[in-house]
C-alpha cells in the first residue's frame, strides 16, 4: 500500500537516498513523555557506518532535525516529525545502473512498479538508508517503553558460519539487555567479535558480501498485551521487521526448531515463582502465546541476506537494450548489512511493542 | 488491534469455537468475478479433520453459508460474508480448564487480556477452528487470482525429523502447483507420506503432539506488484501468516540460509530467456525483491509448533487458587496442527497476493 | 474503499436487502461489558416500520442473532458479530427496475460502479435496510457508553415546513435525553407530532415522499476526548453520518448559522460553575472545540432527503435500451425516511463517540 | 486517532504553528505524474494573507521544500514529502494565553487532551496554519486529477448577511471552475466582492470577526466512482472537510433544503442527452448518489465560523488559578477565516476525489 503503518502507533516514512532528506512522522503518541535527543542520536549512531572496515565508508552524521511534536523536551501528543538531510551523496556512482539491473536489488522490480519513474540514485526509497527513519521512530518509542519498565535490545548472532550463543530468555535481565546497546560492535562474545570483524573485512576485500542473523529481545513487557489472529504481536512485529530491506526470515522463541519438537518438549510449563509472579520454566514460546505477551521475555531472530551490491562482475540484464549484460558495481557498500541492521531490528521491536500498548491502553498510558 | 485486516482487500474474521458460528467478511473485492462454491467447499475440506488418525476426531461438515456479496454466482463487489455454524461442540470438555492454564495455549494470556471474560470453550476466538475463516476468504481470493493466471499451492515439508524436498522454484510450473491441492494427505513423496502418517499416529497414541513445516508457492504472479518498506509483499504476507495460531517462523526464498551465504552465492542473476521474458537463474530471493514481485515463483516456508493440547500430565498454574497444579487435558485434539494448516497457509497467501493486486490495480482488475 | 470503518472501534457491515441476511461485526471492544439484548432489540424496534402510515408496510421482525463476541451476557472482547436474516422479501417487485434507473437512487451509479453485477433486488447493499446494521452496532456501543455516564438521543426536528424546537444544549439533562428514546413517534411536541404524522400520511397518499431533519445530542461526554485535524470528533462522526443513505447535510452546534455571526456572538464564554466545573454560557460550538469534546453537550443536525422511491410517474433512462423512458415504481416504501433514520443517526453517534473513547483510553476503559 | 488519513491516498500532516516547520507526506500516489511546483506555489498563495485588510498581517512566504517523492519534475510513486519552515513567528504574543483559555478556541480542550503538554504557541497543531499542509497535498492531487480531466474550484459564497449566488451545477463548465481560481479575492460578483471586503475591514476595525460560507464544485469526475455506506464519497470528503478548523457545517447538493422538499421535487430525472451521455435535468443530488459519483458536477457548501480570536474583552477561565477571568487577545488574526479557507476546502476536495479514484482504479490510473 504505502510507507505508512497504522496500528496503535502510526508512522509515515519518507525520503530517498539522494533526495533532500529522509524522515519519519510518528502519530498517536502519548503526550508529555520526556525524550532525550542525545539518546536518539546515540541510537542512530549505532546504525552509522563504522571505521573498522565492516561497513561502507559513506559516513553520514545523520543528525535528525525535529520539525514538530516535541516541546520543552517532551512529546506534545501531536505528530512528531523528524528529518535528516542527505549530505554525503555521490550520485554519479549510479549513472551506469539506470539500465543495468543489479542482481539481488530492487532495481528491476522497482523499475516495473514505478514505470521507471522512481528515483534510482542510491536505491531511492529502497535504500537501506531509509532504515534510519525506523531507527529514529524506534528510538522515540523505546524511551516511552522504558518509562514503563520495558527494555529491548538486539545483537548480531551470526555472520556466515560464525555463530554465537542465543541469549537465555528464561533468566534474561534488564541489565543484560542494556549491555547489548553498549557493545562497540554488536557481538556479545569478545573473541567471536574479533573473528566476525575479521571475516567481514576479508569478505569486503574479496569484493564480496556476507549474510548474518540478528537476535532481538525484550524484558519487562507486561503480560496480557496483544491480540489473537490478525493483530497478534507476531503479526505486528513481522510487518515491521519484513519492511527492513534484506530480511528473509523471522522466527519467534524456538522458531523453526519447533517443527521437529514434540508437544511435551515444546510446551512451557507455567508456575508461580516465590513472589507469586507467573512464569514459565522454559521460554520456547518467546514471550508470546496466542498473539499476546505472556510476561516472559520476548525473543525473535531475523535472517539478513548478504548485501546484494558486490564489486565482483555479475550477469544481469540491460532493460533499455533488452539484452543480457555483465555488471560491475562501483560505489560504497556495506559488506554485511546485518551489522548495521541490529539497531534497526531493535527499533522495529520498539515501534511494534509501543503500538500494541497504545492500542490496548490508549494514549493515556 | 483486532481481527480485521485492512489492505487492498479487507477481511473481518469473527466467531468462537463454541459460539453460534464463525465467519468472515471480505470487502473491497472486484465485482462480477465468478465464484465456484464447490471449490470453496473443496478448499475447506482440505482443512477438515481426516480419518487416518493424523487429526482430531472432531469432524465438522463446515458448510459455509453465503450471507451476502454473491449473486448469480458472481461477486457483487459489495461485502462478501460467509458463516459456518458450529455444530459438533462438546463444551463440557472444557469445564476444568477455566482455572487451569494449558501450557503452550493462549489460556493465560487471553485470561489477562480479556480479564477472564473471553469465551474459553474450545479456545474461543483463539481456536484453530477460526482458521476455517481464513480458508473461506482465501478460497474466494484464490479463484479471483486464478482468473489472472496466478496459482498458489502448499504442502507439508516436514514433520519432526521427517523432511521432504523443497520445490524447485526455478522450474516450478502451474501443473506442479495444482497437483499439490490434489494430494489426499499434503506430503508430495508417497513414501515419506506414509512415514509421516505413521509418525503422527505414533505420536497421537503416545498422547503427545509434534511440529511440522509447510512450504507455500505461487506461480504466475506478475512482476512489479508490491511496495518497498512497510507494505512490502513480505510484510503483507507475514502479517497474515503470523495470525495463524501455532506459527513460530516464516522465511522467504533461501530464508535463514542467507545468513551464512556470500553475496556472490545468494544474488540471483537476471537474464532474458528465449522468449525475452526476464527471469533469474536461481531463485534464492523467493520471487520478491525490495518488497515487490519479480515474476519468479514466490516461495516461503512456515514453522508450526506441535499442538499444545496433549493428554500427558503437565505442570501448570491454577489462576483461581493462585497455585501450582498438574493438568490432564481431555478432549479431541490434532496431534500435528501442521497437517491441517497447509490449506490455511495457502489461503493466507491468496489473501495477501490479491490484496497487493487490488491495492495497486484497484477493484477494476 | 469498503463497508468497513476503522477507528478506535472497528465495524464491518455486510448484507443486501434480499440476500440471506444482513449483519455487522464490531471489533476492538472492551471485554466484560454487560450487554442487554432486550435493549438492543428495543433500539432496533425504534427503526422498524410503524403502523401509523408514516412508514413502509414491509414490517420485518429484525431479530438479531448473536454469532460471536458475547458470552454470559458480556462482551468477550473478541469480535462481536450479529446477523439478521432477511425474511419478508418480495423480489418480484424489482423485476422491471433492472434497466430503468430510479431517479434519486443509486441504481445508475451502482450499475456503473459494479458493472451491473451488484444485487439490485431491494436496492442491494445500498438499501436503507442496511442501516439496521448500524443500529445494532450503535446499540452495543451505546450500552458501553452509558456505563461511563454518556447518553445520546435523537429526535425528528422537522418534516417539510413543519419545524420543532431545537433542544437547549446548555441546560440539557440526561433525563431529557432518555425521554427522547421513549417517544412512540420521534417528535417531541405532541401537537407537532400529530401534524407531522398527518403530513406524512398525506404525502404517502399522494404517492409522494418528503424530507426531514434530525437532531442528535449527547450528555456526559467527558471533556478532552478527540483529536485535532484529520481525526476530529466531527470528522469521525461525519464519516459515519454520511454513510447513512439519504443524508445530504450535517451541522454541529450553531451549524450554518455561524456563517452569518460575529465572533463576539458566536464565541462561548467559559466559566467555572458553582461546583468548579468548567462550562460555557452558550453552546454554539456544540460540545466540540478543535475536534475535541469540551464537556458541554454534543449536538448536531442531519438533513435527510425525501425517499427517492415514489409512485408518481418519473422520467428516467433505460440503460439496456439506452433510451429515455418513464418509470412507475411499485413496491413498499417509506414516505419519509427521516422518521426511521432517527435511531440510525443516534446509533452512528454512539459508534463514533465510543470509538473516540477507545482510541484515546484503549480497550481497558 | 491522529493526523493521518488513510484511504486510497494517504496523508500525514505534521507541524505546529511555531515549531521548526509544518509539512505533509502523501503516500500511495501514482508514479510518473508531472507536477508543476509553480502551480503548487500559486495554490498556496491563494491561502496566504492578503494586503487588503481582510486577513491577518502575518504574511509568510510559505515556500514548500520538497523532501522526497519528486524526481525530474514527476512523482516517483514513493512518499512525497513537503515541508514549510516557520519563519515569521512572534511567540511572545501567546505568553498570557497559557492559563487563560480563549473562547471558541481549542485551548481548553487541547489542554485537557494533552495534559497541558501541547505546544500552545500560535495554537500549535490546532493552528489554522496547518491547513497549508492540506493545501500542499491538495495542490499535488489536483494536478493529477486534471490530467484525468477533473477540475475543482471553490469560492466564498457569503460573509455575514452578504450572500452571493450558488453556481448552476447543471450547466457548470470547466472554464467557470478554472475562473474561480483566478479571482484576486474569492468572491465571484465584483460588486459583492467590494461589499464583502469592506464588511470584513469594518469587522476587523471593530476588533471583531465574522463567519462565512464556501462553495466547492468539481466537473469532470467520471460517473461510477465511490462506494456505498462507510466509504461513500460524502463520508470521505466530510472526514477531510471537518478536519479544517472552524468548519461547523457541510451540505451536498441541495443540502439542508432537502428536508423541506417533496420527492417529486428533489429527484433529479435522468436522461440521455444529444451525445448519448447520461445526465440529470436538475442536480439536487450534487453529483453523488448512493455515495458514488453520477457524472454530474459535484457540489458542496461549507459553513465557517467567525475567527474565535477577537480583540474585544471576553469572559473566560484561568485554568491555573482555577477562576473566572477576562481576556484580551493580542496578536495578529484573520477577521474572517472563511476567506483563506477557500483554497483549503478545494484542496480537501482534491485529496478526497483522487483518493476515491486510486481506491477504485489503483495507482496505475
Amino acid at each position: 500500500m504505502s510507507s505508512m503503518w497504522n496500528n496503535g502507533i502510526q508512522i509515515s516514512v519518507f525520503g530517498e537516498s539522494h533526495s533532500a532528506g529522509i524522515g519519519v512522522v510518528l502519530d498517536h503518541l502519548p503526550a508529555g513523555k520526556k525524550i532525550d535527543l542525545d539518546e536518539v542520536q546515540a541510537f542512530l549512531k549505532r546504525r552509522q557506518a563504522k571505521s573498522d572496515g565492516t561497513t561502507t565508508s559513506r559516513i553520514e552524521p545523520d543528525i535528525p532535525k525535529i520539525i514538530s511534536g516535541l516541546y520543552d523536551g517532551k512529546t506534545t501528543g501531536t505528530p512528531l516529525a523528524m528529518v535528516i538531510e542527505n549530505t554525503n551523496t555521490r550520485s554519479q556512482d549510479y549513472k551506469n545502473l539506470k539500465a543495468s539491473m543489479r542482481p539481488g536489488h530492487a532495481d528491476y522490480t522497482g523499475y516495473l512498479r514505478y514505470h521507471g519513474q522512481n528515483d534510482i540514485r542510491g536505491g531511492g526509497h529502497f535504500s537501506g538508508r531509509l532504515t534510519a527513519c525506523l531507527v529514529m521512530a524506534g528510538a522515540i518509542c523505546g524511551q516511552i517503553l522504558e518509562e514503563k519498565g520495558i527494555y529491548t535490545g538486539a545483537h548480531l548472532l551470526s555472520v556466515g558460519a560464525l555463530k554465537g550463543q542465543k541469549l537465555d530468555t528464561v533468566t534474561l535481565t534488564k541489565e543484560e539487555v542494556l549491555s547489548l546497546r553498549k557493545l562497540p560492535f554488536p557481538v556479545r562474545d569478545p573473541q567471536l567479535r574479533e573473528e566476525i570483524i575479521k571475516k567481514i573485512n576479508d569478505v569486503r576485500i574479496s569484493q564480496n558480501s556476507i549474510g548474518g542473523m540478528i537476535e532481538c529481545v525484550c524484558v519487562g513487557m507486561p503480560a496480557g498485551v496483544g491480540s489473537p489472529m490478525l493483530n497478534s504481536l507476531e503479526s505486528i512485529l513481522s510487518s515491521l521487521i519484513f519492511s527492513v530491506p534484506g530480511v528473509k526470515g523471522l522466527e519467534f522463541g524456538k522458531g523453526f526448531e519447533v517443527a521437529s519438537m514434540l508437544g511435551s518438549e515444546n510446551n512451557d510449563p507455567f508456575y508461580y515463582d516465590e513472589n507469586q509472579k507467573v512464569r514459565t520454566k522454559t521460554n520456547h514460546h518467546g514471550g508470546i502465546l496466542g498473539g499476546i505477551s505472556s510476561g516472559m521475555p520476548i525473543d525473535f531472530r531475523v535472517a539478513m541476506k548478504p548485501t546484494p551490491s558486490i564489486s565482483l562482475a555479475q550477469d544481469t540484464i540491460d532493460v533499455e537494450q533488452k539484452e543480457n549484460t555483465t555488471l560491475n558495481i562501483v560505489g560504497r557498500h556495506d559488506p554485511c548489512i546485518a551489522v548495521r541492521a541490529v539497531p534497526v531490528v531493535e527499533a522495529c521491536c520498539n515501534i511494534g511493542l509501543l503500538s500494541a500498548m497504545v492500542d490496548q491502553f490508549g494514549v493515556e498510558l
Side-chain angles (χ1 to χ4, degrees), chain A residues 333-354:
Chain A
H333 304 285
D334 284 284
C336 178
I337 46 175
V339 174
R340 294 171 64 194
V342 169
V344 179
V345 166
E346 184 181 323
C348 287
C349 182
N350 289 348
I351 297 167
L353 295 183
L354 182 62

Side-chain angles (χ1 to χ4, degrees), chain A residues 22-24 35-45 48 60-68 70 80-86 129 132-133 135-137 139-140:
Chain A
I22 60 173
V24 66
I35 299 297
D36 181 335
L37 289 177
D38 291 338
E39 274 192 41
V40 174
Q41 191 67 64
F43 208 140
L44 273 168
K45 202 170 161 53
Q48 272 182 346
E60 301 208 63
D62 283 352
I63 298 172
K65 183 178 178 186
I66 304 295
I67 304 296
S68 66
L70 273 184
L80 196 164
M82 289 173 282
V83 171
I84 296 175
E85 284 183 36
N86 287 326
R129 179 150 177 68
C133 302
V135 169
M136 285 191 279
I140 299 290

Side-chain angles (χ1 to χ4, degrees), chain A residues 19-76:
Chain A
S19 69
I22 60 173
V24 66
V25 187
L26 283 115
D27 207 345
H28 208 232
L29 286 179
K33 298 293 176 185
K34 273 190 202 161
I35 299 297
D36 181 335
L37 289 177
D38 291 338
E39 274 192 41
V40 174
Q41 191 67 64
F43 208 140
L44 273 168
K45 202 170 161 53
R46 288 165 54 203
R47 192 198 145 275
Q48 272 182 346
K50 298 175 202 315
S51 53
D52 58 10
T54 61
T55 68
T56 173
S57 56
R58 176 186 176 186
I59 301 188
E60 301 208 63
D62 283 352
I63 298 172
K65 183 178 178 186
I66 304 295
I67 304 296
S68 66
L70 273 184
Y71 185 54
D72 273 350
K74 292 183 194 162
T75 56
T76 59

Side-chain angles (χ1 to χ4, degrees), chain A residues 5 9 26 29 43 46 134-146 150-154 177 181 216-218 221 236-237 240-241 300 343-357:
Chain A
W5 187 83
I9 290 292
L26 283 115
L29 286 179
F43 208 140
R46 288 165 54 203
L134 296 173
V135 169
M136 285 191 279
I140 299 290
C141 294
Q143 293 190 32
I144 299 174
L145 287 173
E146 292 197 6
I150 303 166
Y151 299 88
T152 60
V177 171
R181 306 185 191 163
C216 183
V217 291
C218 168
M221 187 71 179
I236 290 172
L237 289 169
L240 290 160
I241 295 293
F300 59 87
V344 179
V345 166
E346 184 181 323
C348 287
C349 182
N350 289 348
I351 297 167
L353 295 183
L354 182 62
S355 190
M357 294 286 288

Side-chain angles (χ1 to χ4, degrees), chain A residues 228-267:
Chain A
M229 299 280 310
L230 293 153
N231 287 280
S232 70
L233 279 186
E234 293 104 326
S235 284
I236 290 172
L237 289 169
S238 72
S239 70
L240 290 160
I241 295 293
F242 279 113
S243 73
V244 180
V247 170
K248 298 306 281 185
L250 171 63
E251 59 177 14
F252 291 86
K254 270 284 174 188
F256 275 87
E257 282 185 51
V258 298
S260 27
M261 289 171 81
L262 294 173
S264 58
E265 293 166 337
N266 183 53
N267 280 352

